[in-house]
């Protein structure tokens, strides 16, 4: 018998046109290559290399802008790099000047940053490749964020001043949690397109020394953000949102201060309504959780006994973290139900919220685990809709923005 299989092989400049044939030949495979009529984000169209890209209303999912032809020789690369550095310098200097004139008050930065992002023209040569090349080279860039910062793939600081910075954040596969910010500023979509969902949060009460806040999280109208769209960032619960990036890559330019010194943490939010101080780092607690996981591998029952003791007798934040670790590591089970019941005895609202919260987190996690397997933008859009939007009207609203004039029921 002869094994027969199908494989997708994306390729393009700077690789040779016959690279796939040469790879198959080197592997001793008899392969037949079929042409693909497709586009690649930022590289024009009709080159048979990847995802379909178009503007709204074309009947194709994606919204990434198409970059102009850029010289790929050394001179063209140097010119692109210099234009990119000059752009971030002009943008940073303008924000710095205007914010200083207003006394550098955090509450003034969102308006200043929004206006500046709209006024300073972005050079056509500023592509994801240029930004990542600048970061990898490290030339003429300011100090970067700690390597532990996982917001972006990666985040790159392109300009830095007193309590103020400009980031170019590249996203390859990532989607953000539902979150608020501890800083003010604004962001602009440079490359790609994203499903943007805002939320409002009705506070109930703060718990665990302000590490948790319980209430009701309500989704507002979703929107599709295209390259060039700008949104202000306001610190605190007035701006709670999540982004699902539809293109690979997507790049966002963020103008922000270091911190707006809020009197409460920068919460991540989980449906149906729990805010979690996700940025709080406790190295001792991390080591304890690693010990619990190793104990689970040796003796699950003993590990559950220890977890129940912690959940019932130690401070509420530690008790919640143990339950959280158990849920995200081992999923829904009778063990998790026992831990939720234990926390519910200490605080009734946790007993009410945690069950539905973990069910939703498991659902989202299972869907997002499939994201890396999807290469077609229509599939990524479908995944974005069912992960982030909770009802048919919201899904239809997003589809109408992507396909004006089309009937969502027919798509």
């Amino acid at each position: 018998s002869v094994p027969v299989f199908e494989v997708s092989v994306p390729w393009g400049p700077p690789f040779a046109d016959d690279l796939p044939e040469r790879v198959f030949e080197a592997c001793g495979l008899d392969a037949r290559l079929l042409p693909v009529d497709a586009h690649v984000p930022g590289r024009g169209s009709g080159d048979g290399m990847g995802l379909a890209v178009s503007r709204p209303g074309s009947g194709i999912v994606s919204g990434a802008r198409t970059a102009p032809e850029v010289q790929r020789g050394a001179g063209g690369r140097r010119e692109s790099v210099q234009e990119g550095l000059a752009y971030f310098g002009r943008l940073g200097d303008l924000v710095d000047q205007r914010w200083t004139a207003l006394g550098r008050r955090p509450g003034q930065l969102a308006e200043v940053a929004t206006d500046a992002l709209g006024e300073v023209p972005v050079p056509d040569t500023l592509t994801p490749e240029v930004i990542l090349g600048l970061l990898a080279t490290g030339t003429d860039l300011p100090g970067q964020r700690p390597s532990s910062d996982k917001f972006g793939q990666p985040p790159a600081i392109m300009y830095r001043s007193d309590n103020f910075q400009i980031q170019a954040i590249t996203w390859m596969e990532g989607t953000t949690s539902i979150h608020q910010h501890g800083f003010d500023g604004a962001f602009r979509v440079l490359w790609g397109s994203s499903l943007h969902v805002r939320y409002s949060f009705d506070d109930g009460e703060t718990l665990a020394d302000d590490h948790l806040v319980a209430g009701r999280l309500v989704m507002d109208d979703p929107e599709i953000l295209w390259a060039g769209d700008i949104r202000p960032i306001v610190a605190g619960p007035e701006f709670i949102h999540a982004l699902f990036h539809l293109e690979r890559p997507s790049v966002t330019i963020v103008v922000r201060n270091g911190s707006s010194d809020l009197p409460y943490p920068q919460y991540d939010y989980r449906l149906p309504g729990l805010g979690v101080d996700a940025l709080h780092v406790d190295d001792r607690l991390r080591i304890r959780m690693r010990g619990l996981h190793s104990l689970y591998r040796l003796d699950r029952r003993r590990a559950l006994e220890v977890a129940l003791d912690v959940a019932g007798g130690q401070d509420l934040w530690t008790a919640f973290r143990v339950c959280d670790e158990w849920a995200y590591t081992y999923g829904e089970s009778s063990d998790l139900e026992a831990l939720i019941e234990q926390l519910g005895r200490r605080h009734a609202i946790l007993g009410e919220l945690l069950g539905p919260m973990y069910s939703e987190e498991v659902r989202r996690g299972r869907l997002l685990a499939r994201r890396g397997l999807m290469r077609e933008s229509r599939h990524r859009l479908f995944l974005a809709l069912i992960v982030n939007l909770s009802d048919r009207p919201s899904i239809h609203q997003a589809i109408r923005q992507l396909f004006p004039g089309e009937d969502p029921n027919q798509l």
Side-chain angles (χ1 to χ4, degrees), residues 318-337:
T318 300
F320 169 78
R321 285 294 308 275
V322 166
C323 186
D324 218 40
E325 283 280 333
W326 199 282
Y328 281 106
T329 306
Y330 308 119
E332 295 180 286
S333 66
S334 58
D335 294 348
L336 179 60
E337 292 174 1

Side-chain angles (χ1 to χ4, degrees), residues 2 21 98 146 188 225 235 268 275 299 301 325-326 373 377 381:
V2 179
E21 291 97 332
R98 290 183 178 177
R188 172 177 177 149
L225 296 183
D268 277 6
D299 187 337
R301 289 187 178 181
E325 283 280 333
W326 199 282
L373 304 176
S377 53
L381 170 64

